[in-house]
Amino acid sequence: MADITLQVAGRSYTVSARDEDMPHLRALEARIGHHADAAMRAAGGQSGERTLLYLALILADALDEAEKKPAAARSDTLLERIADRLEAVAEALEESGETS
């Protein structure tokens, strides 16, 4: 385990992580940083805790939207692919039954 220092909304936080997790943590840090300015504006210069609260709300909202939209699209696509495969299997079974 090694320590990594992450910058979140203008503050530094040191956490322990495995070496192989470091690139992922840096990517998460960048994703959080993308929303940090909006959270700091929403907090109106108040406490860092309030900024982190707004940041958590922004990220939770983004996660909620992502879980809703892609899941439905993936489900429809997955169902279509399953239906296509079942049709292909049925056709193959019909053809093999005709040749037997």
Side-chain angles (χ1 to χ4, degrees):
M1 293 286 255
D3 287 344
I4 182 172
T5 301
L6 303 172
Q7 299 293 321
V8 177
R11 293 181 174 213
S12 297
Y13 299 92
T14 301
V15 296
S16 295
R18 296 178 302 199
D19 289 339
E20 61 268 19
D21 291 335
M22 299 287 186
H24 183 65
L25 287 171
R26 289 290 178 210
L28 293 175
E29 175 187 40
R31 182 172 287 192
I32 291 168
H34 177 74
H35 299 286
D37 288 339
M40 288 189 285
R41 282 192 308 274
Q46 294 182 15
S47 72
E49 288 178 10
R50 192 161 188 85
T51 298
L52 292 177
L53 169 65
Y54 280 108
L55 185 56
L57 290 171
I58 290 168
L59 293 172
D61 183 54
L63 177 61
D64 184 57
E65 285 184 34
E67 287 177 339
K68 286 178 184 175
K69 292 179 183 176
R74 278 196 304 258
S75 295
D76 290 345
T77 303
L78 180 60
L79 289 175
E80 288 174 14
R81 288 177 42 207
I82 290 171
D84 290 343
R85 288 185 180 187
L86 288 173
E87 287 176 12
V89 169
E91 289 174 11
L93 289 173
E94 287 175 4
E95 288 176 12
S96 69
E98 292 172 1
T99 58
S100 300

